Amino acid sequence: MELLKKRILEDASVYEGNVLKVDSFLNHQLDVGLLDAMGKEFKKRFSDVPVTKILTVEASGISLACMTAVYFNVPVIFAKKSNALNMEEDTYNSKAYSYTRSAEYIMKVSKRYIDNNDSVLIIDDFLANGEAAMGLIEIARQAGAKVVGIGDAIEKGFQKGGNMLREKGFKVESLVIVKSMENGNIIFEE
Ligand code: 5GP
C-alpha cells in the first residue's frame, strides 16, 4: 500500500532491536484518515471470505481493527492482556511472548463474544514473529471459530511470523512488508 509506505518513510524511525516506531500515526497519535484507508484496503483484500467478527489484541491493534470493522459491518473483539496466570472459567485464554516488551503475557476473551458460528478476521498493527497472531488463533480454536484471515498493517518480513502463518495455510495480508531496516534505512518488499 503506497500511502502507508510513504508515511513510514516520512515519519517512522528505527529503534534498537529492529523495532519500528510509528507513534506519530499508528501507535500513539492516530491518523484516522490513513487508518480509514487501511480498513478499506483490508476489506478489498478479504472480500472473498465471510467475516462475522474482527479479533485483535489491546491496545495498538484496536484502532485499525475498528476502522476495518466499519467496512465489514461486524463487531470488533479485542483480547485483554493480563499478567495473571489464573485461568478464569468464563474466558478463553492463551499465552504470547511480546516482542517489544520481552515478556510473556496472557490474552483473554470472554466466552460470551465468540463461538463456533464465527468466522474471524484477525487484525493487528505489526506482524513480527507471529506470537500475537498465534495467541489469537488459539483463542479462536478454543471457541470453535474459524480463522478466515490475518491482516496486519506492517509485516517485518525478516522475522519469521509471516512465513510461519502462510505455511500453516492462513491467508495473510500485510499492507506493507519491510524487507530490512539496517542502519535505519527502511527497505520494502515490492
Ligand atoms: P509478533 O507477536 O508478531 O511477534 O509481534 C507483533 C506484536 O508486537 C504487535 O502486536 C506489535 O504491537 C508488536 N510489535 C512487533 N514488532 C514491532 C515493531 O517493530 N514496532 C512496534 N511499534 N510494535 C511491534
Side-chain angles (χ1 to χ4, degrees), residues 9-187:
L9 291 177
E10 279 169 8
D11 285 341
S13 33
V14 179
Y15 278 58
E16 207 180 314
N18 278 327
V19 172
L20 192 62
K21 272 270 186 189
V22 289
D23 280 8
S24 66
F25 58 96
L26 188 59
N27 281 162
H28 193 21
Q29 176 171 258
L30 301 172
D31 181 335
V32 180
L34 179 63
L35 285 163
D36 180 57
M38 292 196 267
K40 199 173 183 177
E41 180 68 20
F42 280 131
K43 173 67 183 166
K44 201 167 102 189
R45 295 193 188 195
F46 290 105
S47 59
D48 57 331
V49 292
V51 176
T52 63
K53 302 269 166 73
I54 300 218
L55 182 62
T56 189
V57 55
E58 69 177 354
S60 57
I62 297 176
S63 55
L64 184 56
C66 287
M67 296 310 267
T68 307
V70 171
Y71 288 95
F72 283 93
N73 196 23
V74 296
V76 172
I77 307 161
F78 63 89
K80 297 194 179 193
K81 285 181 182 169
S82 161
N83 296 322
L85 282 164
N86 60 317
M87 298 294 174
E88 295 156 30
E89 272 182 20
D90 58 347
T91 60
Y92 298 116
N93 309 285
S94 66
K95 274 188 204 167
Y97 185 82
S98 165
Y99 179 76
T100 45
R101 289 168 207 261
S102 306
E104 203 167 70
Y105 62 94
I106 313 284
M107 294 183 204
K108 292 174 186 268
V109 170
S110 167
K111 289 183 180 173
R112 271 193 285 175
Y113 302 125
I114 179 167
D115 64 31
N116 59 6
N117 292 311
D118 281 314
S119 296
V120 168
L121 174 61
I122 292 173
I123 294 285
D124 205 1
D125 56 346
F126 277 88
L127 175 57
N129 289 322
E131 285 277 328
M134 287 302 290
L136 294 171
I137 290 166
E138 170 58 18
I139 281 174
R141 190 197 64 75
Q142 289 172 25
K146 187 166 187 258
V147 174
V148 293
I150 300 163
D152 53 274
I154 304 169
E155 176 177 340
K156 294 192 290 182
F158 51 87
Q159 291 185 247
K160 65 175 189 204
N163 285 345
M164 182 260 294
L165 293 166
R166 290 182 184 100
E167 276 165 19
K168 286 181 187 293
F170 292 103
K171 177 179 164 80
V172 180
E173 288 287 338
S174 304
L175 300 183
V176 304
I177 303 181
V178 175
K179 189 154 85 177
S180 69
M181 43 193 210
E182 273 159 40
N183 304 320
N185 192 18
I186 301 165
I187 298 174

